[in-house]
Amino acid sequence: MRGRSDGGQKKRLITSVCVVAIFLGFLYAYYGSLFGSSSRGAAALEYGSRSLRKLGSSYLGGDDDTDSTKFGQEDGEEDVTPKTFPVCDDRHSELIPCLDRHLIYQLRLKLDLSLMEHYERHCPPPERRYNCLIPPPPGYKIPIKWPQSRDEVWKANIPHTHLAHEKSDQNWMVVKGEKIVFPGGGTHFHYGADKYIASIANMLNFSNNNLNNEGRLRTVLDVGCGVASFGAYLLSSDIIAMSLAPNDVHQNQIQFALERGIPAYLGVLGTKRLPYPSRSFELAHCSRCRIDWLQRDGILLLELDRLLRPGGYFAYSSPEAYAQDEEDLRIWKEMSALVGRMCWRIAAKKNQTVIWQKPLTNDCYMEREPGTHPPLCRSDADPDAVWGVPMEACITPYTEHDQKAKGSGLAPWPARLTSPPPRLADFGYSSDMFEKDTETWRRRVESYWNLLSPKIEADTLRNLMDMKANMGSFAAALKSKNVWVMNVVPEDGPNTLKLIYDRGLIGTTHSWCEAFSTYPRTYDLLHAWTVFSDIEKKGCSGEDLLLEMDRILRPSGFVIIRDKQSVIDFIRKYLSALHWEAVATADSSSDSDNEGDEVVFIVQKKMWLTSESLRNTE
């Protein structure tokens, strides 16, 4: 009996040892893959995993790592720089940190779904941020070049085909082999956006059925844009649209738009103002965008009113504009009464589309009966304050300048690109300052292109971002190139975004201490002029910003950093970790600026795939 018992104990001991050995082996394999070379496969990461090395105090809140965010470290501090960044799990290949519904569920945020708050920005707290490289999806390919990309993209780059089935009767998109094709249709323009755009121009009696109205109509806001075919077909008329849609049940609409090379932004008409200044757009457009314009005393229509220029239009294609059933008639009646009190008038109405026009002056507002709703906004309210600012159900009256000018006073496009904008005076800028800035950036961009020339062809670049745009002169210098620029203005600096829109360009407000509202892999080139120096002053992490730039940069895309030498030295330490390689370095004297404290550093993101992606590619 004792012999059998001893044998059983030995067997149990051996079994226990084996189980422990297998468990330790699993741990070794798991954490080895997590911290190994990023090219050896994707490691599953959870929010707030403290097993990751600390990359900066703003990520994990550790005071002991503050030095790792400093630029220009001493040679003895080289060891704080990680030799590699871990790779996020493949399921995070489309992560948008501040628009992540999983985060909302995990944090149990109390949001009003009826007000669309769950589609607004909610950034992760420091302990829940990702510190990893976002991998491309399996089989990812270098995107098709513009202008061919307007009509087709690689299915592997955005492997979502549900919209093709859901909107099959509306010609949004069609799956054809390895590609997704965009015939140019939409919910209310099955036969093509080009014909629909021409019909709107015809309704407004614009010459040659051209919606640009001889250069007077240049900037457009397309709300609920779908895959942005409306904005795509406006480009040939020298009109640029900010195509806007939330990261909602029709996922990846904006990702499709940007993959096609069409200007677009993730946003929603919810409770916060859209990140654009007042009087930015000549036309707002909604084609069956499914927005309840009557809610909360018409607050969403009043947000459009804030964004429209004097005499601007709102083109609305929806059943309420033509249907005769009881509910649609009720909505039409109430909406007509609301826009009437807002002093909008019907400019044209035909079939399924109505086009309203905003007044040129304050005269109509002054003639309304006392106590009429919606009221005028307070005289001390700033209509251009937008970063995290709640919408208000009030009418934004015109300034004295616009009242006297009976309009915005802008030159037609393309002259407005280089004409001093009327709102320069808001900043105390002179026309000479504007013209000097325009010329300075013309020379700088010419220098950039000379440095990039060994690496790019005429069609290499399409989606560009100026991360600190000032007056938009970087974008203005690129007019002759077949590109578009998302001009970003810091949320805490001079709100020069209104000058950018007055020049006929587009952009948004943002804080680079947070993630940008776009999908991964959506820009071909990022231009960062003193952006790193700025976030250093705010105490934000340079490593965080590098990871965010890598997230939104397409594989084989470029970054132009223009900053002080210590910033360039800091970035150089992370090139291998990010899979970036140096392309060119030049001091500022090379572009005749005589600013010896700024260095130009150009890098390119390499194409890399995880082991899962490689298996799918093969």
Side-chain angles (χ1 to χ4, degrees):
M1 292 293 291
R2 278 196 298 270
R4 285 194 294 272
S5 177
D6 289 344
Q9 288 175 357
K10 286 179 182 177
K11 287 179 182 177
R12 283 194 295 273
L13 180 61
I14 291 169
T15 302
S16 300
V17 169
C18 289
V19 168
V20 170
I22 291 169
F23 178 69
L24 290 173
F26 170 78
L27 286 180
Y28 176 81
Y30 177 79
Y31 287 106
S33 66
L34 188 64
F35 292 108
S37 169
S38 60
S39 62
R40 288 204 304 267
L45 301 180
E46 297 299 328
Y47 267 126
S49 172
R50 290 190 176 271
S51 61
L52 291 175
R53 72 192 77 213
K54 291 186 178 183
L55 301 177
S57 59
S58 75
Y59 253 8
L60 297 176
D63 295 333
D64 53 335
D65 278 306
T66 3
D67 285 343
S68 68
T69 67
K70 299 293 184 186
F71 303 135
Q73 293 169 345
E74 299 298 327
D75 292 339
E77 294 176 293
E78 187 74 30
D79 59 327
V80 300
T81 303
K83 293 179 181 178
T84 118
F85 286 127
V87 180
C88 296
D89 188 278
D90 280 347
R91 67 178 180 268
H92 299 313
S93 68
E94 293 171 353
L95 176 71
I96 311 163
C98 295
L99 295 171
D100 184 3
R101 285 190 296 278
H102 298 295
L103 172 69
I104 291 173
Y105 300 145
Q106 290 175 19
L107 295 181
R108 299 179 182 178
L109 299 179
K110 295 180 180 179
L111 305 175
D112 191 329
L113 305 189
S114 68
L115 302 185
M116 308 293 280
E117 281 187 298
H118 54 309
Y119 294 137
E120 295 181 322
R121 288 175 59 85
H122 301 283
C123 296
E127 70 276 8
R128 288 182 175 266
R129 297 186 186 182
Y130 286 93
N131 310 1
C132 50
L133 298 172
I134 303 295
Y140 181 86
K141 300 180 181 181
I142 297 299
I144 294 169
K145 304 302 182 186
W146 182 268
Q148 185 183 350
S149 64
R150 187 195 74 172
D151 302 323
E152 59 182 26
V153 301
W154 294 116
K155 183 174 66 176
N157 291 8
I158 312 180
H160 301 282
T161 58
H162 61 282
L163 277 178
H165 304 298
E166 187 175 335
K167 304 291 185 179
S168 58
D169 61 330
Q170 297 171 16
N171 282 325
W172 278 35
M173 47 191 271
V174 178
V175 178
K176 288 191 176 180
E178 293 187 339
K179 294 178 179 178
I180 294 174
V181 176
F182 301 89
T187 306
H188 268 275
F189 43 92
H190 305 179
Y191 302 108
D194 50 351
K195 297 179 179 64
Y196 173 68
I197 291 165
S199 72
I200 292 175
N202 179 264
M203 289 171 66
L204 293 170
N205 295 316
F206 290 170
S207 60
N208 302 317
N209 288 342
N210 192 330
L211 194 59
N212 77 9
N213 193 24
E214 298 178 343
R216 288 186 285 273
L217 196 154
R218 164 65 181 171
T219 51
V220 169
L221 177 66
D222 187 16
V223 181
C225 63
V227 293
S229 289
F230 182 72
Y233 282 83
L234 286 174
L235 290 165
S236 60
S237 299
D238 265 347
I239 296 172
I240 189 164
M242 179 66 82
S243 296
L244 186 81
N247 187 29
D248 66 358
V249 290
H250 294 323
Q251 290 179 44
N252 308 95
Q253 297 175 90
I254 294 299
Q255 191 178 19
F256 278 120
L258 290 163
E259 183 75 11
R260 297 171 71 185
I262 303 164
Y265 185 81
L266 277 163
V268 66
L269 281 166
T271 66
K272 302 287 196 309
R273 284 179 172 177
L274 293 178
Y276 319 119
S278 66
R279 310 195 303 279
S280 291
F281 301 97
E282 275 94 29
L283 171 75
H285 173 255
C286 157
S287 173
R288 195 66 182 273
C289 56
R290 298 184 180 274
I291 292 173
D292 177 8
W293 296 107
L294 294 173
Q295 64 173 282
R296 293 175 283 161
D297 300 317
I299 195 169
L300 304 184
L301 265 181
L302 290 160
E303 174 64 359
L304 287 191
D305 184 83
R306 180 184 72 84
L307 295 173
L308 283 174
R309 298 197 192 279
Y313 300 97
F314 177 42
Y316 182 59
S317 294
S318 188
E320 297 86 36
Y322 63 91
Q324 294 299 309
D325 64 84
E326 186 176 340
E327 179 62 12
D328 286 331
L329 284 170
R330 180 192 67 79
I331 293 172
W332 173 253
K333 182 179 179 181
E334 291 186 24
M335 201 164 169
S336 297
L338 172 61
V339 297
R341 295 192 302 272
M342 291 166 56
C343 292
W344 289 10
R345 69 172 188 88
I346 291 181
K349 187 173 185 289
K350 184 179 179 182
N351 299 330
Q352 61 184 11
T353 302
V354 59
I355 304 173
W356 285 289
Q357 186 174 23
K358 182 180 175 179
L360 281 168
T361 68
N362 292 326
D363 295 352
C364 173
Y365 306 143
M366 301 299 108
E367 293 167 2
R368 300 188 310 163
E369 292 290 328
T372 300
H373 283 270
L376 296 182
C377 297
R378 302 182 317 276
S379 58
D380 61 345
D382 182 0
D384 301 323
V386 295
W387 187 249
V389 176
M391 292 180 189
E392 290 189 65
C394 59
I395 297 169
T396 304
Y398 298 125
T399 63
E400 286 186 24
H401 171 271
D402 285 345
Q403 175 71 9
K404 290 176 183 175
K406 295 188 176 180
S408 58
L410 296 175
W413 177 265
R416 73 171 62 172
L417 184 66
T418 50
S419 300
R423 293 194 272 189
L424 272 176
D426 294 0
F427 303 91
Y429 296 165
S430 66
S431 295
D432 287 345
M433 292 168 64
F434 173 81
E435 289 163 3
K436 182 181 178 182
D437 187 74
T438 300
E439 176 58 21
T440 294
W441 282 102
R442 186 197 64 76
R443 290 197 310 268
R444 289 179 176 180
V445 168
E446 185 178 357
S447 173
Y448 292 160
W449 245 246
N450 289 336
L451 293 169
L452 281 167
S453 58
K455 289 278 190 177
I456 63 172
E457 303 289 339
D459 63 352
T460 301
L461 305 176
R462 174 61 185 169
N463 301 352
L464 276 61
M465 177 187 287
D466 191 0
M467 297 172 67
K468 184 183 174 184
N470 194 26
M471 288 190 273
S473 294
F474 170 84
L478 291 163
K479 182 183 180 297
S480 63
K481 310 291 184 185
N482 210 354
V483 302
W484 67 272
V485 180
M486 178 68 78
N487 293 280
V488 181
V489 170
E491 92 295 353
D492 61 347
N495 194 359
T496 53
L497 194 57
K498 54 188 176 183
L499 303 182
I500 288 166
Y501 275 94
D502 283 358
R503 299 183 77 170
L505 304 168
I506 61 167
T508 186
T509 304
H510 185 62
S511 166
W512 285 113
C513 292
E514 299 179 4
F516 193 77
S517 293
T518 193
Y519 282 89
R521 302 173 301 281
T522 46
Y523 285 89
D524 298 302
L525 184 145
L526 307 176
H527 176 241
W529 172 47
T530 67
V531 175
F532 282 88
S533 291
D534 291 343
I535 67 157
E536 181 188 18
K537 294 170 187 172
K538 297 178 183 179
C540 301
S541 167
E543 292 91 340
D544 293 6
L545 180 56
L546 285 170
L547 284 165
E548 173 60 8
M549 291 168 72
D550 183 78
R551 185 185 74 85
I552 65 181
L553 188 65
R554 284 173 166 174
S556 77
F558 296 88
V559 182
I560 302 174
I561 299 109
R562 187 185 193 93
D563 217 313
K564 58 190 179 184
Q565 183 64 54
S566 59
V567 167
I568 307 305
D569 295 339
F570 167 82
I571 292 170
R572 281 186 184 278
K573 295 178 182 180
Y574 291 89
L575 293 185
S576 61
L578 292 161
H579 307 287
W580 293 1
E581 62 181 3
V583 171
T585 308
D587 60 45
S588 59
S589 62
S590 65
D591 55 21
S592 307
D593 279 346
N594 298 317
E595 294 181 19
D597 59 337
E598 287 185 358
V599 179
V600 176
F601 185 44
I602 302 179
V603 299
Q604 184 175 22
K605 178 178 177 177
K606 297 177 185 177
M607 176 74 170
W608 59 270
L609 297 169
T610 64
S611 55
E612 178 66 22
S613 294
L614 284 168
R615 281 196 295 275
N616 279 270
T617 304
E618 291 166 1

